[in-house]
Amino acid sequence: MFTPPAPGNWSAMNGGAATTYDLFDAVLLDRDGTLVEDVPYNGDPEKVRPLPGAREALDRLRAAGLRLGVVTNQSGLAKGLFTTDQMRAVHARIEELLGPFDDWQICPHDDGDGCGCRKPAPGMVHAAAAALGTSPGRCVMVGDIGRDMTAALAAGATGILVPTPVTRPEEVAAAPHVARDLPAAVDEILRRQAAVRPTAPRRAGTVLVVRSDSAGDVLVTGPAIRAVAAGARRVVLLCGPRGRAAAELLPGVDEIVEWPLPWIDGDPAPVDPDDVRALTARLTAVGADEAVVFTSFHQSALPLALLLRLAGVGRISAISDDYPGSLLDVRHKVPVGVPEPERALSLAAAAGFGLPVGEEPTLRVEAPPTALPAGPYVVVHPGASVPARACPPERWVEIVAGLTASGHRVVVTGGPVETVLTSRVAAAGGTDLGGRTGLAELAGVLAGASCVVVGNTGPAHLAAAVGVPVVSLFAPTVPFGQWAPYRVPLVRLGDAAAPCRDSRATRCPVPGHPCLTAGVDPAEVVAAVHLLTTGIRR
Ligand SMILES: [Zn+2]
């Protein structure tokens, strides 16, 4: 919330080009197979061959003010296959052909050395971000194999995979984002960067923002709601009953109106004319000057836009592929696969609202209560609001047993309807907090954890909102790049290529639920927790 400046001083507010923020400061690039042709253990500058379009693509990033770093595993040094001087000559040749880089991070070790720098460990992403004067969350890593993506995500950076013929199909399936070549990856970075910048920044009085649906949906809309709040005198949030607890935690919201919307709810009541009339009257009473209606891509903003027109709201912004007629003043379109928080930020930007400079576009909640358990612990959250996104209980039991056997203290969390599940899972060695936390208390418990193991469900986004690393057991029913916990250190597990992929199923359509049954190895979960808590792969 801002304090309205004195009349005539509006230009000092959020709005001008000087006060817009950016998603990214730097792009980190893998070397072999991404910038230059992969010549195994190359110590010869004469063999350096840039990939097609690389120079021009890198120059576009430089022109956009993005800093560039190279992040490369060079185990040929450990193996004695070339010398440091030879490698330096190769790098001088790369800069001669591709232009200067602001930082080079080189891991000289080999597999088995147990270093924290060799990808997929995240050490070089952290080091590059520090050397470039930024944080991993403000970096994009572009690479050609799964190790590049794992290192990027484990550091909290954005990852874009540019596959080559040798990239394994499972690595392509698991990648958060895929581009066909380096120029296409650069297009994507610049497009995402531009999409969240308001082209016509505005200030407003009362703005009604709308995000129906569940807690996770409300949490991922948080950055966009803060962007609106930065330019509005007052923000009223219309949410559904399942999102109410999350709405209470969002910074920037002055008032909450809770109403189930039958065209949004997954289990809707029949449309009741009296209810629609009552909602229209309630919306009229809000007295909003304008409205920004946030939706998922499978939801329509138009029924509510009609009611907002009936309620006299003067300016309405929403994403709509369907023709809106006179229902929308700002009709925004977004390509598929954009992370949900950025998708919402891009609608806010289209409506004229951007985050103030210096405010990170991360998920956030108001300071949660202090954590209940003392000392280091890992949270295991076995439930999921959608059954297709839940691991079977017996797998969770194995995960908790594996974590406790590795010396981790485990806290098991769950909602009031999940207590049978949490007590069964916690019996394998964890403290059972199932049913004993509201969403705010859960945020406190998550905030005190060193790491959270959870499926694609609300608490994964709550963990992101309190900045805690996530081991995501991610059913591929929806796109990972769109729904992964945003801008937080992350390891993705589960079979990304399982037949349920992109089905949007709420109940797994595949016998045996393979994506999160055979697809999740408890030992991999323990290794992922180790990677996220120590930075070292084992
Ligand atoms: Zn190393």
Side-chain angles (χ1 to χ4, degrees):
M1 245 17 40
F2 73 93
T3 307
N9 196 26
W10 284 101
S11 62
M13 280 187 43
N14 170 44
T19 58
T20 54
Y21 72 107
D22 278 318
L23 291 176
F24 307 120
D25 292 328
V27 179
L28 312 180
L29 300 122
D30 170 55
R31 194 192 88 175
D32 301 318
T34 301
L35 291 174
V36 297
E37 287 176 15
D38 188 7
V39 178
Y41 307 116
N42 182 25
D44 180 359
E46 294 305 311
K47 292 184 181 163
V48 170
R49 300 273 179 277
L51 284 168
R55 174 68 198 244
E56 187 270 343
L58 295 170
D59 283 344
R60 283 194 289 142
L61 294 174
R62 293 180 180 112
L66 287 155
R67 280 157 267 166
L68 302 184
V70 182
V71 170
T72 178
N73 286 352
Q74 292 299 333
S75 64
L77 289 170
K79 292 182 168 81
L81 296 172
F82 52 80
T83 65
T84 303
D85 283 347
Q86 286 174 310
M87 184 186 69
R88 287 199 183 115
V90 167
H91 291 176
R93 179 64 177 153
I94 290 175
E95 291 206 319
E96 194 180 325
L97 292 167
L98 294 179
F101 292 92
D102 303 295
D103 185 51
W104 286 82
Q105 294 291 331
I106 298 139
C107 169
H109 308 110
D110 207 343
D111 274 334
D113 287 349
C115 70
C117 41
R118 182 168 170 80
K119 295 175 286 187
M124 288 195 291
V125 178
H126 285 286
L132 295 169
T134 186
S135 58
R138 301 188 59 79
C139 295
V140 185
M141 169 90 206
V142 182
D144 66 323
I145 58 173
R147 285 172 172 239
D148 299 312
M149 297 301 100
T150 303
L153 297 187
T158 295
I160 300 180
L161 184 77
V162 177
T164 68
V166 304
T167 309
R168 300 205 308 266
E170 60 270 28
E171 294 178 331
V172 178
H177 304 282
V178 178
R180 70 178 178 280
D181 54 21
L182 185 56
V186 167
D187 289 343
E188 175 74 5
I189 293 164
L190 297 178
R191 195 194 54 67
R192 281 171 65 175
Q193 186 96 312
V196 300
R197 280 188 205 127
T199 48
R202 54 191 279 114
R203 55 189 185 271
T206 297
V207 181
L208 179 73
V209 294
V210 183
R211 188 61 162 103
S212 205
D213 230 337
S214 64
D217 300 292
V218 170
L219 290 171
V220 298
T221 312
I225 292 173
R226 300 203 308 273
V228 173
R233 205 176 298 273
R234 174 176 170 73
V235 171
V236 180
L237 170 60
L238 172 65
C239 69
R242 292 186 304 136
R244 174 68 188 245
E248 305 268 6
L249 301 180
L250 287 188
V253 176
D254 297 296
E255 184 187 341
I256 296 170
V257 176
E258 178 188 324
W259 212 284
L261 304 181
W263 55 92
I264 299 285
D265 274 14
D267 188 18
V271 172
D272 170 4
D274 287 337
D275 180 72
V276 172
R277 274 188 284 272
L279 172 57
T280 308
R282 182 69 186 87
L283 294 172
T284 305
V286 167
D289 303 293
E290 60 181 283
V292 184
V293 184
F294 297 100
T295 46
S296 288
F297 81 91
H298 62 291
Q299 298 169 341
S300 173
L302 298 184
L304 186 69
L306 177 59
L307 300 194
L308 291 168
R309 284 288 186 236
L310 297 178
V313 176
R315 182 175 188 264
I316 304 173
S317 304
I319 295 171
S320 187
D321 284 324
D322 291 332
Y323 172 65
S326 55
L327 294 182
L328 299 181
D329 301 281
V330 177
R331 177 197 189 183
H332 184 54
K333 293 195 178 190
V334 184
V336 293
V338 176
E340 283 290 312
E342 287 178 32
R343 189 172 186 277
L345 278 167
S346 77
L347 172 60
F353 303 104
L355 284 170
V357 85
E359 173 151 5
E360 290 298 313
T362 48
L363 274 51
R364 267 177 49 201
V365 289
E366 298 286 5
T370 312
L372 308 173
Y377 57 90
V378 173
V379 166
V380 168
H381 189 94
S385 60
V386 174
R389 301 186 207 150
C391 263
E394 57 274 19
R395 190 61 94 223
W396 285 112
V397 167
E398 293 168 355
I399 288 167
V400 169
L403 287 168
T404 50
S406 301
H408 292 286
R409 185 171 164 223
V410 174
V411 171
V412 180
T413 57
V417 299
E418 295 167 341
T419 52
V420 172
L421 173 65
T422 60
S423 76
R424 178 176 170 192
V425 171
T431 304
D432 182 12
L433 293 185
R436 290 167 54 192
T437 58
L439 203 68
E441 294 77 27
L442 179 60
V445 172
L446 296 177
S450 49
C451 183
V452 179
V453 186
V454 61
N456 176 26
T457 190
H461 302 298
L462 196 58
V466 294
V468 172
V470 177
V471 176
S472 174
L473 310 185
F474 196 94
T477 52
V478 294
F480 176 69
Q482 199 167 343
W483 285 102
Y486 187 61
R487 284 192 173 221
V488 71
L490 177 68
V491 172
R492 175 191 193 166
L493 295 177
D495 181 358
C500 63
R501 185 178 171 92
D502 295 335
S503 66
R504 304 201 59 83
T506 54
R507 301 211 166 258
C508 185
V510 186
H513 192 24
C515 67
L516 293 182
T517 305
V520 172
D521 174 357
E524 281 188 333
V525 176
V526 175
V529 169
H530 189 74
L531 183 69
L532 289 175
T533 54
T534 66
I536 299 197
R537 179 172 155 260
R538 86 170 161 205

